[in-house]
DNA sequence: CCGCATCCTTTAGGATACTG
DNA sequence: CAGTATCCTAAAGGATGCGG
């Protein structure tokens, strides 16, 4: 399988941080894992309406490689795989707090549509 | 000219904020304009080593449309165009602070290469 | 000086089918 | 259940040339 396009040399911290979070569902994955502490693959899938299996797997693999997510495989039948945040994943999520608040303000300002109104805190 | 792929309905604040910042040079543009208050097109170009004219123009137009950047054209010969941050642009930059700090830590952790070592504060 | 237009390559993301 | 593998489209980004 082709490797992730690889994280290049960075111009600044924002650059390095954005590289790790950009990806259509990564912010949500971070949020889901932060809220529930531990989540299985299928639970994450249900929590991210519209995500494809391929993208979910791909994002999780990249986030694991970036040291944000811990992946634990339980050798059972049927298989059970649990995902959780590492310490770096948690601190990243904290660092995203102000940005999320700014985004909420932006949505409010221009009355953009929001898909999932159940998640009001971010 | 084709319009920007348009900012869709958002899932959360992070989503809405990332939509506005993702773009290879937008973080840097924000930083440059915040540091210098006002910058001409050619000055920005020099401040972003490697950017193409096309991308710089495109990013600036999108950021203008997103209400982050103010564009002021002076009717002179040769022409002079000055860019600066709007209030929203400044608050966004503030919200990016913690993320930038996290990114700096990440770079330090894994000893990634950094292109421009002159800009140490972000 | 500050662009816009055009063409091209690369990457992200989605659809679908199959497997241990 | 938790994935792979393959194919495909679309969006981002880059190179180059022209113009007020």
């Amino acid at each position: 399988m082709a490797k992730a396009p690889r994280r290049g040399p960075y111009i600044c911290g924002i650059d390095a941080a954005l590289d790790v979070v950009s990806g259509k569902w990564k912010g949500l994955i971070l949020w889901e894992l932060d809220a529930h502490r531990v989540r299985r693959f299928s639970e994450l899938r249900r929590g991210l309406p519209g995500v494809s299996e391929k993208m979910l797997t791909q994002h999780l693999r990249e986030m694991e490689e970036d040291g944000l997510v811990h992946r634990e495989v339980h050798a059972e039948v049927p298989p059970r795989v649990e995902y959780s945040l590492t310490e770096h994943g948690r601190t990243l999520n904290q660092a995203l707090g102000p940005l999320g608040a700014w985004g909420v303000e932006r949505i409010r300002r221009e009355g953009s549509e929001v898909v999932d109104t159940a998640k009001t805190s971010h």
Side-chain angles (χ1 to χ4, degrees), chain A residues 34-80:
Chain A
D34 195 66
H36 298 93
R37 307 291 296 180
V38 174
R39 218 99 253 253
R40 315 179 46 162
F41 186 84
S42 52
E43 291 174 325
L44 281 173
R45 237 201 126 176
R46 279 188 290 275
L48 276 48
V51 73
S52 69
E53 290 183 351
K54 177 197 162 190
M55 286 314 298
L56 184 53
T57 307
Q58 197 174 109
H59 280 168
L60 285 169
R61 290 286 132 75
E62 290 174 11
M63 294 171 79
E64 191 188 358
E65 193 176 351
D66 287 332
L68 306 177
V69 160
H70 174 69
R71 177 169 178 264
E72 186 143 11
V73 183
H74 300 266
E76 309 170 353
V77 177
R80 179 164 54 101

Short mmCIF file of all heavy atoms in Angstrom, two decimals, chain A residues 34-80:
data_model
loop_
_atom_site.label_atom_id
_atom_site.label_comp_id
_atom_site.label_asym_id
_atom_site.label_seq_id
_atom_site.Cartn_x
_atom_site.Cartn_y
_atom_site.Cartn_z
N ASP A 34 -11.81 11.91 22.13
CA ASP A 34 -11.63 12.67 23.36
C ASP A 34 -12.86 12.55 24.25
O ASP A 34 -12.76 12.45 25.47
CB ASP A 34 -11.36 14.14 23.03
CG ASP A 34 -10.81 14.90 24.22
OD1 ASP A 34 -9.68 14.57 24.64
OD2 ASP A 34 -11.50 15.79 24.74
N ALA A 35 -14.02 12.53 23.63
CA ALA A 35 -15.27 12.48 24.39
C ALA A 35 -15.51 11.10 25.01
O ALA A 35 -15.99 10.99 26.13
CB ALA A 35 -16.44 12.87 23.50
N HIS A 36 -15.16 10.05 24.26
CA HIS A 36 -15.49 8.70 24.72
C HIS A 36 -14.31 7.92 25.29
O HIS A 36 -14.48 6.78 25.71
CB HIS A 36 -16.12 7.88 23.58
CG HIS A 36 -17.39 8.45 23.06
ND1 HIS A 36 -17.44 9.31 21.98
CD2 HIS A 36 -18.68 8.30 23.47
CE1 HIS A 36 -18.70 9.65 21.75
NE2 HIS A 36 -19.47 9.06 22.63
N ARG A 37 -13.12 8.53 25.22
CA ARG A 37 -11.90 7.86 25.69
C ARG A 37 -11.51 6.66 24.82
O ARG A 37 -10.40 6.60 24.35
CB ARG A 37 -12.04 7.39 27.15
CG ARG A 37 -12.46 8.49 28.11
CD ARG A 37 -11.40 9.53 28.29
NE ARG A 37 -10.20 8.99 28.93
CZ ARG A 37 -9.12 9.71 29.21
NH1 ARG A 37 -9.10 10.99 28.90
NH2 ARG A 37 -8.08 9.16 29.77
N VAL A 38 -12.42 5.71 24.65
CA VAL A 38 -12.12 4.53 23.83
C VAL A 38 -13.28 4.26 22.87
O VAL A 38 -14.44 4.35 23.26
CB VAL A 38 -11.92 3.28 24.71
CG1 VAL A 38 -11.77 2.04 23.85
CG2 VAL A 38 -10.72 3.45 25.62
N ARG A 39 -12.95 3.95 21.64
CA ARG A 39 -13.97 3.71 20.65
C ARG A 39 -13.55 2.61 19.68
O ARG A 39 -12.41 2.57 19.26
CB ARG A 39 -14.22 5.02 19.87
CG ARG A 39 -15.67 5.27 19.52
CD ARG A 39 -16.33 6.24 20.48
NE ARG A 39 -17.24 5.54 21.34
CZ ARG A 39 -18.58 5.63 21.23
NH1 ARG A 39 -19.12 6.37 20.31
NH2 ARG A 39 -19.34 4.98 22.07
N ARG A 40 -14.47 1.73 19.33
CA ARG A 40 -14.18 0.70 18.33
C ARG A 40 -14.38 1.27 16.94
O ARG A 40 -15.01 2.31 16.77
CB ARG A 40 -15.11 -0.50 18.50
CG ARG A 40 -15.27 -0.97 19.90
CD ARG A 40 -16.21 -2.15 19.98
NE ARG A 40 -15.94 -3.17 18.97
CZ ARG A 40 -16.39 -4.42 19.07
NH1 ARG A 40 -17.09 -4.78 20.13
NH2 ARG A 40 -16.14 -5.29 18.12
N PHE A 41 -13.87 0.54 15.96
CA PHE A 41 -13.97 0.99 14.57
C PHE A 41 -15.41 1.28 14.18
O PHE A 41 -15.73 2.37 13.67
CB PHE A 41 -13.38 -0.07 13.65
CG PHE A 41 -13.29 0.35 12.21
CD1 PHE A 41 -12.21 1.09 11.75
CD2 PHE A 41 -14.29 0.01 11.32
CE1 PHE A 41 -12.13 1.48 10.42
CE2 PHE A 41 -14.21 0.40 9.98
CZ PHE A 41 -13.14 1.13 9.53
N SER A 42 -16.28 0.35 14.46
CA SER A 42 -17.68 0.51 14.03
C SER A 42 -18.38 1.64 14.79
O SER A 42 -19.26 2.30 14.25
CB SER A 42 -18.44 -0.79 14.23
OG SER A 42 -18.27 -1.27 15.54
N GLU A 43 -17.97 1.88 16.02
CA GLU A 43 -18.55 2.98 16.78
C GLU A 43 -18.14 4.32 16.17
O GLU A 43 -18.96 5.22 16.02
CB GLU A 43 -18.08 2.91 18.24
CG GLU A 43 -18.67 1.74 19.01
CD GLU A 43 -18.08 1.61 20.41
OE1 GLU A 43 -16.87 1.90 20.60
OE2 GLU A 43 -18.82 1.22 21.32
N LEU A 44 -16.86 4.41 15.81
CA LEU A 44 -16.39 5.62 15.15
C LEU A 44 -17.15 5.85 13.85
O LEU A 44 -17.55 6.96 13.53
CB LEU A 44 -14.89 5.52 14.85
CG LEU A 44 -13.96 5.78 16.03
CD1 LEU A 44 -12.52 5.47 15.65
CD2 LEU A 44 -14.09 7.22 16.51
N ARG A 45 -17.34 4.77 13.12
CA ARG A 45 -18.05 4.88 11.85
C ARG A 45 -19.43 5.46 12.04
O ARG A 45 -19.87 6.32 11.30
CB ARG A 45 -18.17 3.49 11.22
CG ARG A 45 -17.56 3.42 9.85
CD ARG A 45 -18.13 2.26 9.06
NE ARG A 45 -18.64 2.71 7.79
CZ ARG A 45 -19.13 1.91 6.87
NH1 ARG A 45 -19.18 0.62 7.08
NH2 ARG A 45 -19.58 2.40 5.75
N ARG A 46 -20.11 4.97 13.04
CA ARG A 46 -21.46 5.47 13.29
C ARG A 46 -21.42 6.92 13.77
O ARG A 46 -22.33 7.70 13.50
CB ARG A 46 -22.16 4.59 14.34
CG ARG A 46 -22.75 3.32 13.74
CD ARG A 46 -23.61 2.58 14.76
NE ARG A 46 -22.82 1.98 15.84
CZ ARG A 46 -22.24 0.78 15.76
NH1 ARG A 46 -22.36 0.05 14.67
NH2 ARG A 46 -21.55 0.30 16.77
N GLY A 47 -20.34 7.28 14.46
CA GLY A 47 -20.22 8.64 14.97
C GLY A 47 -19.89 9.67 13.90
O GLY A 47 -20.03 10.87 14.12
N LEU A 48 -19.42 9.19 12.74
CA LEU A 48 -19.03 10.08 11.66
C LEU A 48 -19.91 9.81 10.43
O LEU A 48 -19.47 9.18 9.46
CB LEU A 48 -17.57 9.85 11.27
CG LEU A 48 -16.47 10.54 12.06
CD1 LEU A 48 -16.63 10.42 13.54
CD2 LEU A 48 -15.11 10.00 11.64
N PRO A 49 -21.12 10.34 10.44
CA PRO A 49 -22.08 10.02 9.38
C PRO A 49 -21.55 10.46 8.02
O PRO A 49 -21.25 11.62 7.82
CB PRO A 49 -23.31 10.85 9.75
CG PRO A 49 -23.09 11.33 11.14
CD PRO A 49 -21.62 11.37 11.35
N GLY A 50 -21.43 9.52 7.13
CA GLY A 50 -21.00 9.86 5.77
C GLY A 50 -19.58 9.41 5.46
O GLY A 50 -19.17 9.40 4.31
N VAL A 51 -18.82 9.07 6.48
CA VAL A 51 -17.44 8.65 6.23
C VAL A 51 -17.43 7.26 5.57
O VAL A 51 -18.29 6.42 5.85
CB VAL A 51 -16.63 8.60 7.55
CG1 VAL A 51 -17.03 7.42 8.40
CG2 VAL A 51 -15.13 8.56 7.25
N SER A 52 -16.49 7.05 4.68
CA SER A 52 -16.35 5.73 4.07
C SER A 52 -15.36 4.91 4.88
O SER A 52 -14.52 5.45 5.60
CB SER A 52 -15.83 5.86 2.64
OG SER A 52 -14.50 6.32 2.63
N GLU A 53 -15.47 3.59 4.76
CA GLU A 53 -14.54 2.74 5.50
C GLU A 53 -13.10 3.06 5.12
O GLU A 53 -12.22 3.11 5.96
CB GLU A 53 -14.81 1.27 5.17
CG GLU A 53 -16.11 0.75 5.74
CD GLU A 53 -16.29 -0.74 5.45
OE1 GLU A 53 -15.50 -1.27 4.66
OE2 GLU A 53 -17.21 -1.34 6.01
N LYS A 54 -12.91 3.28 3.85
CA LYS A 54 -11.56 3.56 3.37
C LYS A 54 -10.97 4.79 4.04
O LYS A 54 -9.84 4.74 4.55
CB LYS A 54 -11.56 3.77 1.86
CG LYS A 54 -10.21 4.13 1.30
CD LYS A 54 -10.35 4.73 -0.09
CE LYS A 54 -9.13 5.48 -0.48
NZ LYS A 54 -9.33 6.25 -1.71
N MET A 55 -11.73 5.88 4.05
CA MET A 55 -11.19 7.10 4.63
C MET A 55 -10.98 6.97 6.13
O MET A 55 -10.00 7.47 6.67
CB MET A 55 -12.13 8.28 4.33
CG MET A 55 -12.09 8.77 2.91
SD MET A 55 -10.40 8.97 2.28
CE MET A 55 -9.76 10.24 3.37
N LEU A 56 -11.91 6.30 6.80
CA LEU A 56 -11.76 6.14 8.24
C LEU A 56 -10.49 5.36 8.56
O LEU A 56 -9.68 5.78 9.40
CB LEU A 56 -12.99 5.45 8.83
CG LEU A 56 -13.00 5.30 10.34
CD1 LEU A 56 -12.76 6.63 11.04
CD2 LEU A 56 -14.31 4.68 10.82
N THR A 57 -10.30 4.26 7.88
CA THR A 57 -9.09 3.47 8.08
C THR A 57 -7.84 4.30 7.79
O THR A 57 -6.89 4.34 8.58
CB THR A 57 -9.08 2.25 7.15
OG1 THR A 57 -10.29 1.53 7.33
CG2 THR A 57 -7.90 1.35 7.46
N GLN A 58 -7.87 4.98 6.67
CA GLN A 58 -6.71 5.75 6.24
C GLN A 58 -6.36 6.85 7.25
O GLN A 58 -5.21 7.01 7.65
CB GLN A 58 -7.02 6.38 4.88
CG GLN A 58 -5.82 6.87 4.11
CD GLN A 58 -6.24 7.34 2.72
OE1 GLN A 58 -6.24 8.51 2.41
NE2 GLN A 58 -6.66 6.40 1.89
N HIS A 59 -7.37 7.58 7.67
CA HIS A 59 -7.15 8.63 8.65
C HIS A 59 -6.62 8.07 9.96
O HIS A 59 -5.67 8.59 10.54
CB HIS A 59 -8.44 9.41 8.89
CG HIS A 59 -8.73 10.43 7.83
ND1 HIS A 59 -9.93 11.06 7.71
CD2 HIS A 59 -7.97 10.91 6.84
CE1 HIS A 59 -9.90 11.90 6.70
NE2 HIS A 59 -8.72 11.83 6.14
N LEU A 60 -7.22 6.98 10.41
CA LEU A 60 -6.78 6.39 11.67
C LEU A 60 -5.32 5.93 11.59
O LEU A 60 -4.55 6.12 12.51
CB LEU A 60 -7.69 5.22 12.06
CG LEU A 60 -9.07 5.63 12.59
CD1 LEU A 60 -10.00 4.43 12.70
CD2 LEU A 60 -8.94 6.32 13.95
N ARG A 61 -4.97 5.36 10.44
CA ARG A 61 -3.59 4.90 10.27
C ARG A 61 -2.60 6.07 10.30
O ARG A 61 -1.53 6.00 10.91
CB ARG A 61 -3.44 4.13 8.96
CG ARG A 61 -4.10 2.78 8.94
CD ARG A 61 -3.34 1.74 9.76
NE ARG A 61 -4.27 1.02 10.64
CZ ARG A 61 -5.12 0.08 10.24
NH1 ARG A 61 -5.17 -0.28 8.97
NH2 ARG A 61 -5.92 -0.50 11.10
N GLU A 62 -2.98 7.14 9.63
CA GLU A 62 -2.10 8.31 9.61
C GLU A 62 -1.97 8.93 11.00
O GLU A 62 -0.88 9.32 11.42
CB GLU A 62 -2.63 9.37 8.62
CG GLU A 62 -2.51 8.95 7.17
CD GLU A 62 -3.17 9.93 6.21
OE1 GLU A 62 -3.55 11.03 6.66
OE2 GLU A 62 -3.30 9.61 5.02
N MET A 63 -3.10 9.00 11.69
CA MET A 63 -3.07 9.59 13.03
C MET A 63 -2.28 8.71 13.99
O MET A 63 -1.66 9.21 14.94
CB MET A 63 -4.50 9.81 13.52
CG MET A 63 -5.24 10.86 12.71
SD MET A 63 -7.01 10.96 13.08
CE MET A 63 -7.01 11.91 14.60
N GLU A 64 -2.32 7.41 13.74
CA GLU A 64 -1.52 6.51 14.56
C GLU A 64 -0.03 6.76 14.30
O GLU A 64 0.77 6.89 15.22
CB GLU A 64 -1.88 5.06 14.22
CG GLU A 64 -1.30 4.04 15.18
CD GLU A 64 -1.53 2.62 14.69
OE1 GLU A 64 -2.16 2.45 13.62
OE2 GLU A 64 -1.04 1.69 15.36
N GLU A 65 0.29 6.88 13.03
CA GLU A 65 1.68 7.10 12.65
C GLU A 65 2.18 8.46 13.15
O GLU A 65 3.36 8.64 13.44
CB GLU A 65 1.82 7.03 11.12
CG GLU A 65 3.24 6.94 10.64
CD GLU A 65 3.30 6.76 9.13
OE1 GLU A 65 2.23 6.54 8.51
OE2 GLU A 65 4.39 6.84 8.57
N ASP A 66 1.25 9.42 13.26
CA ASP A 66 1.61 10.74 13.75
C ASP A 66 1.62 10.80 15.27
O ASP A 66 1.83 11.86 15.85
CB ASP A 66 0.64 11.79 13.19
CG ASP A 66 0.88 12.07 11.72
OD1 ASP A 66 2.03 11.91 11.26
OD2 ASP A 66 -0.07 12.45 11.01
N GLY A 67 1.36 9.67 15.89
CA GLY A 67 1.43 9.62 17.35
C GLY A 67 0.26 10.26 18.07
O GLY A 67 0.37 10.64 19.23
N LEU A 68 -0.87 10.37 17.40
CA LEU A 68 -2.04 10.99 18.02
C LEU A 68 -2.99 9.95 18.59
O LEU A 68 -3.71 10.20 19.54
CB LEU A 68 -2.81 11.83 17.00
CG LEU A 68 -2.02 12.89 16.23
CD1 LEU A 68 -2.91 13.56 15.21
CD2 LEU A 68 -1.42 13.89 17.20
N VAL A 69 -2.98 8.77 17.94
CA VAL A 69 -3.98 7.75 18.25
C VAL A 69 -3.30 6.43 18.60
O VAL A 69 -2.29 6.05 17.98
CB VAL A 69 -4.91 7.55 17.03
CG1 VAL A 69 -5.63 6.23 17.09
CG2 VAL A 69 -5.90 8.71 16.93
N HIS A 70 -3.87 5.76 19.57
CA HIS A 70 -3.38 4.43 19.94
C HIS A 70 -4.36 3.38 19.44
O HIS A 70 -5.57 3.54 19.59
CB HIS A 70 -3.23 4.32 21.46
CG HIS A 70 -2.86 2.96 21.92
ND1 HIS A 70 -1.62 2.41 21.68
CD2 HIS A 70 -3.57 2.03 22.60
CE1 HIS A 70 -1.58 1.19 22.20
NE2 HIS A 70 -2.75 0.94 22.75
N ARG A 71 -3.83 2.34 18.82
CA ARG A 71 -4.67 1.30 18.25
C ARG A 71 -4.39 -0.03 18.95
O ARG A 71 -3.24 -0.47 19.01
CB ARG A 71 -4.36 1.16 16.75
CG ARG A 71 -5.14 0.05 16.05
CD ARG A 71 -4.95 0.18 14.54
NE ARG A 71 -5.63 -0.87 13.81
CZ ARG A 71 -5.03 -1.99 13.39
NH1 ARG A 71 -3.74 -2.19 13.64
NH2 ARG A 71 -5.71 -2.91 12.73
N GLU A 72 -5.46 -0.62 19.50
CA GLU A 72 -5.27 -1.86 20.24
C GLU A 72 -6.14 -2.97 19.66
O GLU A 72 -7.36 -2.87 19.63
CB GLU A 72 -5.64 -1.64 21.71
CG GLU A 72 -5.33 -2.84 22.58
CD GLU A 72 -4.83 -2.42 23.96
OE1 GLU A 72 -4.92 -1.22 24.28
OE2 GLU A 72 -4.34 -3.29 24.71
N VAL A 73 -5.48 -4.03 19.20
CA VAL A 73 -6.19 -5.14 18.57
C VAL A 73 -6.37 -6.27 19.58
O VAL A 73 -5.40 -6.74 20.16
CB VAL A 73 -5.41 -5.68 17.36
CG1 VAL A 73 -6.19 -6.80 16.69
CG2 VAL A 73 -5.09 -4.56 16.38
N HIS A 74 -7.62 -6.70 19.77
CA HIS A 74 -7.88 -7.82 20.66
C HIS A 74 -8.10 -9.06 19.80
O HIS A 74 -8.98 -9.08 18.95
CB HIS A 74 -9.12 -7.55 21.51
CG HIS A 74 -8.99 -6.34 22.37
ND1 HIS A 74 -8.56 -6.39 23.68
CD2 HIS A 74 -9.19 -5.03 22.11
CE1 HIS A 74 -8.52 -5.18 24.19
NE2 HIS A 74 -8.90 -4.33 23.26
N ALA A 75 -7.29 -10.08 20.04
CA ALA A 75 -7.35 -11.28 19.22
C ALA A 75 -8.55 -12.14 19.60
O ALA A 75 -8.44 -13.10 20.35
CB ALA A 75 -6.05 -12.07 19.36
N GLU A 76 -9.69 -11.76 19.09
CA GLU A 76 -10.92 -12.48 19.37
C GLU A 76 -11.66 -12.74 18.06
O GLU A 76 -11.31 -12.21 17.02
CB GLU A 76 -11.85 -11.65 20.27
CG GLU A 76 -11.18 -11.10 21.52
CD GLU A 76 -12.08 -10.10 22.24
OE1 GLU A 76 -13.13 -9.75 21.67
OE2 GLU A 76 -11.72 -9.68 23.35
N VAL A 77 -12.70 -13.57 18.18
CA VAL A 77 -13.58 -13.73 17.04
C VAL A 77 -15.00 -13.46 17.52
O VAL A 77 -15.48 -14.14 18.42
CB VAL A 77 -13.51 -15.15 16.44
CG1 VAL A 77 -14.50 -15.29 15.29
CG2 VAL A 77 -12.10 -15.45 15.97
N PRO A 78 -15.68 -12.46 16.93
CA PRO A 78 -15.20 -11.54 15.89
C PRO A 78 -14.17 -10.56 16.43
O PRO A 78 -14.17 -10.30 17.64
CB PRO A 78 -16.48 -10.80 15.46
CG PRO A 78 -17.37 -10.89 16.65
CD PRO A 78 -17.05 -12.17 17.33
N PRO A 79 -13.32 -10.06 15.57
CA PRO A 79 -12.25 -9.16 16.00
C PRO A 79 -12.77 -7.89 16.67
O PRO A 79 -13.86 -7.42 16.37
CB PRO A 79 -11.53 -8.82 14.69
CG PRO A 79 -12.47 -9.20 13.60
CD PRO A 79 -13.31 -10.29 14.12
N ARG A 80 -11.98 -7.41 17.60
CA ARG A 80 -12.33 -6.14 18.26
C ARG A 80 -11.10 -5.25 18.27
O ARG A 80 -10.02 -5.66 18.71
CB ARG A 80 -12.79 -6.43 19.69
CG ARG A 80 -13.16 -5.19 20.48
CD ARG A 80 -13.96 -5.55 21.73
NE ARG A 80 -13.24 -6.54 22.55
CZ ARG A 80 -12.55 -6.22 23.65
NH1 ARG A 80 -12.48 -4.97 24.06
NH2 ARG A 80 -11.93 -7.15 24.35
#
